[in-house]
């Protein structure tokens, strides 16, 4: 059977998962009367809540007698590791570009990886139904991007399709058609069949699946030979050692599920059951003549955070897994499938350094662990510095901001304060398109400030570019915080009296403990306050003295906002039901000693 392997790559929110939906419907994977909903591939709770793709997933459809393996990839730069590993399974890519926004930072990143692997691109200019869209101009910008990334002559001669995943049509011109068949025809015409070399069996594991019935399942593309059920194989490990094994069961992807088969020929993507203790990047090879494929190269992490056990007074109230051993086992288990992550033990057995691609990458891990019943404390995110030719260097990112004209000066001011340098400023209809080169440190906490300054109108995206010399001190949070003096249940009476001192993160009636951060102070510097004091009741009353408490609703910070908000002497307590910000040292005397040592150092 003819096979085509394609990956769909694009910047976040340019319509990848919506396009996969249309491919699924066009090839009649579901019955006509079957209820499917939207964004079918985003089947993880976190993905549905956030409206983003976090994990790469593959499905298989059949069109005109040809099997097409489709791989849906994430669009956020933080999940770039997912894209890097699955591109090895593809022979061609559908590069989606928004007809209004044009190529964005993640477009450049994923395209560079695809071109480097020699994949054939098909450019799809999506969302041409949007007002103010500029498909012809975007097409020219995409060509310029290909040229900048040193595409070959063959890759520069890419076919282009226009259309709208929402309306369900694509065409080689801007003329609207009835369906997406022209896109599927372009895949058959321009994506080559899998290149198959002669020799013994080889399959690189690029993804893993898990079944409570079958255990861990290795997923990858057979690069050479034929893999058969019951076949004895050797697993070529990352450390060059060999482990003997046997293929118990083989599955190929069919529609949204898998189908059991007796053998899989080179070029097809399959799932292998029965191999123990494998890692992504290892090779399933012939028993008698094992040959390993080159290991998947993944970009290094740029940020780290300290994970430790929850040592607050509320320890163990909500979570099932609270010990350092539980935490360590879970973090090392995550390394099996999350290639861009690193975990390092510290001198303290209760603390671990976790390295990732960015705040979103790390926060998704924390959120997943919370939902699984873990309690943990996480520290302030720190960028990873390197010494290059004797010079201290830090990661820099390419930041792109689209914002209405009237807010452009505020955005430029905010970024410049954080050591950013403007590279490009151009008009896109009523919007200003701004591009900056800035240290990754400067991005921490920038999103919330920018949304406040632009009345929520700014659209920002960023992507790691390179390491450059250290830029010096970047100003942090201007305001201090209000810290609880002692534990107890907060009262409306106390919060009402303290409202003019700051904006609260708690409501009356919530339990607090000493050292917990309750509010943002209106001035620099921290202040210890008592929020558990109740109104003294007497038998004397006089009219007009007892005004009703008028308390503003609390500020609800998400996990990412908390991570961007905290300073060096603060941390976040994460439990299955609560996220609290607290001081590292809960006792006020310990905090004073710590601040004195910081000033001396």
């Amino acid at each position: 059977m003819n096979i085509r392997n394609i990956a769909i790559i694009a910047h976040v929110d340019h319509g990848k998962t919506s396009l996969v939906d249309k491919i699924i419907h066009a090839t009649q994977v579901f019955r006509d009367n079957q209820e499917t909903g939207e964004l079918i591939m985003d089947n993880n709770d976190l993905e549905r809540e956030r409206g983003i793709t976090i994990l790469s997933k593959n499905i298989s459809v059949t069109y005109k007698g040809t099997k097409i393996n489709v791989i849906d990839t994430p669009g956020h730069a933080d999940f770039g590791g997912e894209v890097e590993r699955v591109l090895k399974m593809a022979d061609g890519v559908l590069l989606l570009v928004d007809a209004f926004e044009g190529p964005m930072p993640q477009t450049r990143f994923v395209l560079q990886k695809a071109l480097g692997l020699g994949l054939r691109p098909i450019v799809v200019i999506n969302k041409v139904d949007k007002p103010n869209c500029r498909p012809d101009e975007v097409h020219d910008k995409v060509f310029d991007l290909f040229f900048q990334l040193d595409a070959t002559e063959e890759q520069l001669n890419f076919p282009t399709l226009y259309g709208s995943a929402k309306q369900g049509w694509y065409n080689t011109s801007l003329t609207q058609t009835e369906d997406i068949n022209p896109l599927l025809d372009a895949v058959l015409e321009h994506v080559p069949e899998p290149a198959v070399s002669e020799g013994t069996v080889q399959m690189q594991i690029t993804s893993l699946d898990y079944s409570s019935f079958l255990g861990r399942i290795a997923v990858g593309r057979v690069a050479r030979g034929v893999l058969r059920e019951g076949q004895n194989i050797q697993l070529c490990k990352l450390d060059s050692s060999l482990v003997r094994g046997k293929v118990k069961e083989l599955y190929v992807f069919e529609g949204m599920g898998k189908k059991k088969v007796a053998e899989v020929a080179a070029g097809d993507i399959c799932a292998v059951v029965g191999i123990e203790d494998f890692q992504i990047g290892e090779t399933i090879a012939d028993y008698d003549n094992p040959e390993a494929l080159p290991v998947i190269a993944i970009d290094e992490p740029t940020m780290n955070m300290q994970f430790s056990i929850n040592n607050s007074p509320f320890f163990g109230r909500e979570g099932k897994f609270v010990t350092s051993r539980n935490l360590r086992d879970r973090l090392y288990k995550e390394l099996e499938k999350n290639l861009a992550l690193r975990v390092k033990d510290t001198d303290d057995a209760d603390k671990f350094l976790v390295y990732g691609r960015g705040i979103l990458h790390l926060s998704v891990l924390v959120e997943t662990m919370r939902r699984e019943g873990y309690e943990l404390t996480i520290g302030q995110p720190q960028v990873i510095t390197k010494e290059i030719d004797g010079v201290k260097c830090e990661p820099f990112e390419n930041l792109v901001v689209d914002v209405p004209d009237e807010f452009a000066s505020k955005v430029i001011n905010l970024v410049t304060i954080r050591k950013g340098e403007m590279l490009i400023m151009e008009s896109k209809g009523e919007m200003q398109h701004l591009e900056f080169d800035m240290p990754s440190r400067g991005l921490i906490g920038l999103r919330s400030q920018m949304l406040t300054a632009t009345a929520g109108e700014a659209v920002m995206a960023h992507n790691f570019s390179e390491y450059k010399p250290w830029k010096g001190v970047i100003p942090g949070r201007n305001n201090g915080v209000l810290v609880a003096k002692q534990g107890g249940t907060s009262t409306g009476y106390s919060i009402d009296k303290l409202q003019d001192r700051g904006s609260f993160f708690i409501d009356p009636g919530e339990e607090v403990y000493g050292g917990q951060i309750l509010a943002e102070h209106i001035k620099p510097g921290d202040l210890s306050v008592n929020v558990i004091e109740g109104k003294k009741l007497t038998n004397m009353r006089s009219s007009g003295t007892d005004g009703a408490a008028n308390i503003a609703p609390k500020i609800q910070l998400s996990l990412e906002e908390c991570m961007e908000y905290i300073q060096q002497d603060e941390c976040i307590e994460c439990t299955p039901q609560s996220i609290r910000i607290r001081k590292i040292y809960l006792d006020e005397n310990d905090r004073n000693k710590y601040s004195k040592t910081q000033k001396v150092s």
Side-chain angles (χ1 to χ4, degrees):
M1 191 180 193
N2 291 332
I3 295 175
R4 301 287 188 276
N5 298 317
I6 57 164
I8 300 181
I9 58 174
H11 186 79
V12 63
D13 228 20
H14 280 196
K16 294 178 297 299
T17 307
S18 301
L19 173 58
V20 176
D21 282 5
K22 297 302 176 195
I23 291 174
I24 290 169
H25 289 302
T27 51
Q28 295 177 329
V29 169
F30 294 112
R31 298 187 312 274
D32 291 340
N33 63 347
Q34 200 166 343
E35 189 66 43
T36 59
E38 292 183 340
L39 304 178
I40 301 160
M41 296 296 283
D42 286 349
N43 48 17
N44 173 320
D45 285 345
L46 263 178
E47 290 179 321
R48 286 209 168 274
E49 284 169 27
R50 292 166 183 249
I52 59 172
T53 302
I54 295 171
L55 301 168
S56 296
K57 299 171 217 54
N58 33 315
I59 59 154
S60 161
V61 298
T62 303
Y63 178 71
K64 292 186 177 176
T66 301
K67 179 180 181 180
I68 304 174
N69 288 311
V70 183
I71 307 162
D72 183 22
T73 64
H76 276 88
D78 289 42
F79 308 118
E82 287 284 311
V83 183
E84 287 165 292
R85 65 180 174 81
V86 297
L87 284 180
K88 277 280 192 94
M89 293 197 283
D91 297 298
V93 291
L94 294 183
L95 177 72
L96 254 71
V97 185
D98 188 296
F100 172 71
E101 291 183 348
M104 297 287 274
Q106 185 69 1
T107 315
R108 171 184 281 271
F109 170 77
V110 290
L111 181 60
Q112 191 170 14
K113 298 290 176 191
L115 295 178
L117 290 168
L119 303 180
R120 286 293 303 275
I122 296 174
V123 174
V124 182
I125 295 178
N126 196 25
K127 303 190 182 183
V128 296
D129 55 321
K130 275 175 109 173
N132 300 332
C133 69
R134 44 198 190 108
D136 294 332
E137 197 180 324
V138 166
H139 180 269
D140 294 341
K141 285 188 175 294
V142 172
F143 185 85
D144 293 343
L145 180 61
F146 271 76
F147 192 75
Q148 288 167 20
L149 295 176
D150 296 327
T152 63
E153 283 286 331
E154 196 179 21
Q155 288 170 333
L156 276 171
N157 192 22
F158 56 82
T160 306
L161 288 102
Y162 303 87
S164 161
K166 190 177 177 183
Q167 294 181 350
W169 67 272
Y170 286 99
N171 200 356
T172 48
S173 67
L174 283 165
T175 311
Q176 184 165 346
T177 57
E178 292 180 2
D179 51 33
I180 68 161
N181 288 352
L183 175 67
L184 296 170
D185 291 332
V187 168
L188 300 191
E189 184 183 344
H190 297 287
V191 176
E193 286 192 32
V196 177
S197 51
E198 293 297 316
T200 54
V201 70
Q202 273 184 322
M203 181 190 119
Q204 187 159 43
I205 301 168
T206 50
S207 186
L208 65 86
D209 204 348
Y210 182 80
S211 156
S212 52
F213 180 62
L214 298 169
R216 294 174 77 224
I217 302 167
V219 178
R221 178 176 136 182
V222 181
R224 205 169 71 181
V226 178
L227 201 58
R228 294 182 176 86
E229 194 176 12
Q231 182 177 351
N232 291 321
I233 52 96
Q234 298 255 36
L235 184 65
C236 304
K237 306 287 284 181
L238 297 177
D239 60 2
S240 303
S241 62
L242 296 170
V243 177
R244 295 174 182 177
K246 186 174 185 176
V247 177
K248 286 184 184 169
E249 291 179 7
L250 273 176
Y251 293 84
V252 293
F253 291 89
E254 189 173 84
M256 298 289 293
K258 301 185 187 82
K259 182 178 79 169
K260 191 176 177 186
V261 291
E263 62 177 44
V264 179
D268 205 354
I269 296 170
C270 69
V272 182
V273 176
I275 298 166
E276 298 295 323
D277 298 327
F278 62 82
Q279 285 179 280
I280 289 172
E282 295 176 347
T283 307
I284 294 172
D286 185 62
Y287 187 82
D288 299 318
N289 185 24
E291 291 177 53
L293 286 160
V295 177
I296 300 167
I298 297 286
D299 288 351
E300 290 295 308
T302 57
M303 194 169 278
N304 69 21
M305 274 169 62
Q306 185 173 278
F307 282 49
S308 61
I309 59 167
N310 180 14
N311 58 3
S312 85
F314 294 168
F315 154 84
R317 287 192 183 185
E318 298 171 7
K320 289 187 289 184
F321 308 109
V322 293
T323 65
S324 57
R325 185 181 168 190
N326 292 146
L327 184 59
R328 187 180 191 279
D329 290 350
R330 177 65 182 83
L331 289 173
Y332 277 93
K333 187 183 174 194
E334 185 68 23
L335 291 178
E336 292 178 359
K337 61 177 185 291
N338 202 333
L339 288 197
L341 205 73
R342 306 275 186 279
V343 177
K344 193 174 168 186
D345 291 325
T346 63
D347 299 336
D348 188 335
D350 293 341
K351 295 176 181 170
F352 307 91
L353 274 179
V354 180
Y355 297 78
R357 283 278 180 88
I359 282 182
L360 187 64
H361 185 206
L362 293 167
S363 74
V364 164
L365 170 62
V366 175
E367 187 64 43
T368 307
M369 289 172 68
R370 273 184 67 205
R371 292 176 184 216
E372 290 171 4
Y374 286 83
E375 284 193 13
L376 63 154
T377 304
I378 54 175
Q380 186 190 24
Q382 307 282 344
V383 297
I384 299 166
T385 57
K386 288 182 180 179
E387 196 162 297
I388 301 171
D389 300 329
V391 179
K392 183 183 180 183
C393 294
E394 63 176 326
F396 272 65
E397 308 229 1
N398 176 22
L399 171 69
V400 175
V401 184
D402 287 324
V403 69
D405 284 340
E406 66 264 31
F407 297 121
S409 57
K410 290 183 179 178
V411 170
I412 294 166
N413 184 43
L414 272 174
V415 177
T416 311
I417 289 170
R418 291 165 171 261
K419 309 287 186 188
E421 292 178 15
M422 188 159 72
L423 306 175
I424 295 172
M425 182 177 185
E426 60 187 23
S427 294
K428 268 189 187 177
E430 296 169 5
M431 307 284 277
Q432 283 290 341
H433 176 77
L434 310 170
E435 287 193 26
F436 303 91
D437 187 40
M438 73 181 298
S440 298
R441 284 179 300 143
L443 287 164
I444 299 173
L446 177 64
R447 184 178 296 275
S448 54
Q449 284 190 13
M450 191 174 287
L451 290 174
T452 306
T454 62
E457 294 276 349
V459 177
M460 61 181 275
H462 52 88
N463 195 39
F464 170 72
S465 55
E466 59 181 321
Y467 273 83
K468 291 185 183 177
W470 183 263
K471 270 270 193 172
V473 178
I474 292 176
R477 192 178 72 207
N478 295 326
N479 296 22
V481 288
L482 303 185
V483 187
K485 231 178 217 177
Q486 65 223 66
T489 303
S490 61
T491 63
Y493 174 76
S494 296
I495 292 176
D496 184 38
K497 298 290 181 250
L498 290 165
Q499 276 191 118
D500 57 346
R501 294 297 184 98
S503 308
F504 274 82
F505 304 139
I506 62 161
D507 279 331
E510 282 189 35
E511 270 200 271
V512 299
Y513 52 80
Q516 184 178 333
I517 293 171
L518 308 171
E520 182 174 61
H521 196 192
I522 56 169
K523 297 177 183 175
D526 298 343
L527 187 67
S528 289
V529 296
N530 182 358
V531 289
I532 63 170
E533 188 179 15
K535 183 174 171 63
K536 298 290 183 285
L537 299 178
T538 68
N539 59 356
M540 296 291 288
R541 285 284 182 273
S542 62
S543 64
T545 59
D546 204 21
N550 193 7
I551 298 170
K554 71 174 180 181
I555 299 170
Q556 190 83 42
L557 293 178
S558 68
L559 180 58
E560 283 100 36
E561 287 167 338
C562 290
M563 287 161 73
E564 292 183 339
Y565 185 79
I566 59 172
Q567 298 296 294
Q568 204 166 355
D569 64 333
E570 296 162 4
C571 57
I572 307 165
E573 176 192 356
C574 299
T575 66
Q577 290 159 35
S578 314
I579 295 174
R580 300 182 187 93
I581 314 177
R582 48 164 281 197
K583 290 289 184 181
I584 292 173
Y585 296 102
L586 297 177
D587 185 75
E588 196 170 354
N589 295 325
D590 292 341
R591 288 201 296 276
N592 292 337
K593 282 180 198 168
Y594 173 78
S595 62
K596 282 175 186 170
T597 57
Q598 289 298 104
K599 283 172 187 171
V600 170
S601 63

